[in-house]
Amino acid sequence: MTSAPPLAAFAHWFFQKKIVEKLFIIALATFIFCYLPLLAAYRGAESVMILTFLWLAFVSGRETGLRSAIVRDPLFLACLALLGFLILARLWYSFSLPPGIDPETRETRYVLKPVLVFLVAFGLGIVTRPYRWALLLLGMLGFAAYLLTTIGSGQWINAWVGRREDFGIHNAQHTAMFFGTALIGTVCFMFRAIKASPPGWRYAVIFFVFLTLAVAAFGLIATQTRAAWLGVTMATMIGLTTAAWLIWKKRDKPFSKGHKKAAFGLALCLLFGFVLAGLNAPDRVKAPFSNSQSDNGQLFSIEQYTGLPEHSSNPRTSHGVRLISWRVALEWFKERPLMGWGPGSTKDLIKQSEFFSEHFKKNFGHLHNSFIESLVANGLIGSAILLAMIVWIGYAALTAYRNGKMPVDVLVFALSFFGFWAAINLFESYTLYSTGHYTNAVVVGFIYSFYLQLRDKDQSP
């Protein structure tokens, strides 16, 4: 999205790399592009990334000084602390948990997935920095390739007439996550994309930017997911507040280009509003929120969830499922507040609980909330490590911006995505699924990559 070197320059740059660096670059590009179009390639690329990173950081990195820089990085140290916690906790669970509660190895491995954030940041900020924006674009292209090659016309038609669609990505909540992320990224980076395009391709780029906005918004509407709309609302509020603050900081400086961008953005929003109105978007968005009645006609009332539910409770609405499971989870957390019950234990706890009906136990195996899920699984200690990672990444983003290494649009995107990600994880356990791992790794890794380049004063963002 910035002025990228031509293909010949890329070939020259790539072939100058060492064999291990080439493998890492290929694996990183495959990891970013192939998650939706070709899942098997994505999984293989993840393993290659890990192995080549270890070599680059701790073998060849001894000569270049890269190893010493990595081992002092706070995010890398937090990843090591998380690994140590999981190993010690696993030993503790082996003799302290009651019968029938067995933390899953797969889920334990999933708790370590934040390590992928550092690997992607390492790749984008150090190994492939001149092509960082091109690699980020690969994520959008992979999503587009999936939609073009996998989704049949019937699903698009169903979405057009107002039916809920998930487009084959696990379920509608996870699909909404992808469309919401794409929408936020397109809005934040559309001016960069247009400005970086060759003059002869300028109108074509503008067309594809508008098309991407339309498809992302339509897909988000089609999922009919309340949490995603809340997340987009949070992202919009944070993004506008951040943009207003940055403009206010520059109030004494010439801002003619900014005025042009603001006018273009306003025209874009107005046009976009007319398109959404033509698609009957307000009614489609309002429908999930107005569905506050259960199957037996009872209105939603928060009071019925403030205490423990009756035995064999069987909530029939999405908010009922969430609120009752969260209330029971509070009791589980009180029993083991420090180390938790272990990753993947929620399903066993639900099966053994007397507060849920057999129907509930058959259909629900997690808490639909990443934060509560972490407290139950990892306790205060493990959750504190994960929280420290989040706080540090936010601080690192602001530090990169203050040092001139993070562009303004990336800062707005980073803060907007944080609001979106926090909101949607209140209502779905994305940290338990590879969809969440992938999105977190690519997006947050891209953001953190601007911090990892801080020591290099000669490179531009």
Side-chain angles (χ1 to χ4, degrees), residues 151-167 179 215 217-224 279-281 284:
I151 305 304
S153 59
Q155 295 184 56
W156 292 106
I157 294 173
N158 288 339
W160 184 264
V161 299
R163 297 172 186 166
R164 191 182 195 190
E165 277 293 339
D166 61 16
F167 299 102
F179 278 117
V215 172
F218 178 73
L220 187 64
I221 293 169
T223 62
Q224 299 182 19
L279 295 174
N280 200 26
R284 297 190 188 195

Side-chain angles (χ1 to χ4, degrees), residues 84-96:
F85 165 78
L86 290 175
I87 293 173
L88 294 175
R90 189 77 183 185
L91 297 174
W92 171 250
Y93 300 145
S94 64
F95 65 86
S96 69

Side-chain angles (χ1 to χ4, degrees), residues 382-396:
S383 298
I385 297 174
L386 293 171
L387 179 61
M389 289 183 177
I390 296 171
V391 172
W392 168 252
I393 290 171
Y395 175 80

Side-chain angles (χ1 to χ4, degrees), residues 58 70-71 73-87 112 115 385 389:
F58 299 107
I70 288 176
V71 297
D73 182 82
L75 181 59
F76 181 76
L77 293 175
C79 291
L80 291 181
L82 181 61
L83 175 61
F85 165 78
L86 290 175
I87 293 173
L112 272 174
V115 174
I385 297 174
M389 289 183 177

Side-chain angles (χ1 to χ4, degrees), residues 342-384:
S345 59
T346 304
K347 189 173 184 179
D348 294 331
L349 290 168
I350 289 175
K351 286 182 179 180
Q352 293 189 12
S353 175
E354 61 181 6
F355 296 109
F356 300 117
S357 68
E358 291 301 320
H359 176 268
F360 186 98
K361 295 176 181 180
K362 182 179 179 181
N363 289 279
F364 300 101
H366 63 89
L367 299 173
H368 297 86
N369 184 309
S370 292
F371 307 106
I372 296 178
E373 196 85 47
S374 179
L375 285 172
V376 172
N378 306 308
L380 289 173
I381 297 176
S383 298

Side-chain angles (χ1 to χ4, degrees), residues 135-181:
L135 286 168
L136 180 66
L137 182 61
L138 274 182
M140 289 288 288
L141 294 177
F143 189 23
Y146 171 80
L147 294 176
L148 290 171
T149 60
T150 307
I151 305 304
S153 59
Q155 295 184 56
W156 292 106
I157 294 173
N158 288 339
W160 184 264
V161 299
R163 297 172 186 166
R164 191 182 195 190
E165 277 293 339
D166 61 16
F167 299 102
I169 306 176
H170 192 70
N171 61 34
Q173 285 86 358
H174 294 253
T175 306
M177 176 193 65
F178 280 103
F179 278 117
T181 302

Side-chain angles (χ1 to χ4, degrees), residues 7 54 102 134 136 143 171 209 237 311 315 330 394 454:
L7 185 60
L54 293 174
D102 184 21
L136 180 66
F143 189 23
N171 61 34
V209 166
M237 294 173 60
H311 297 333
L330 178 60
L454 282 178

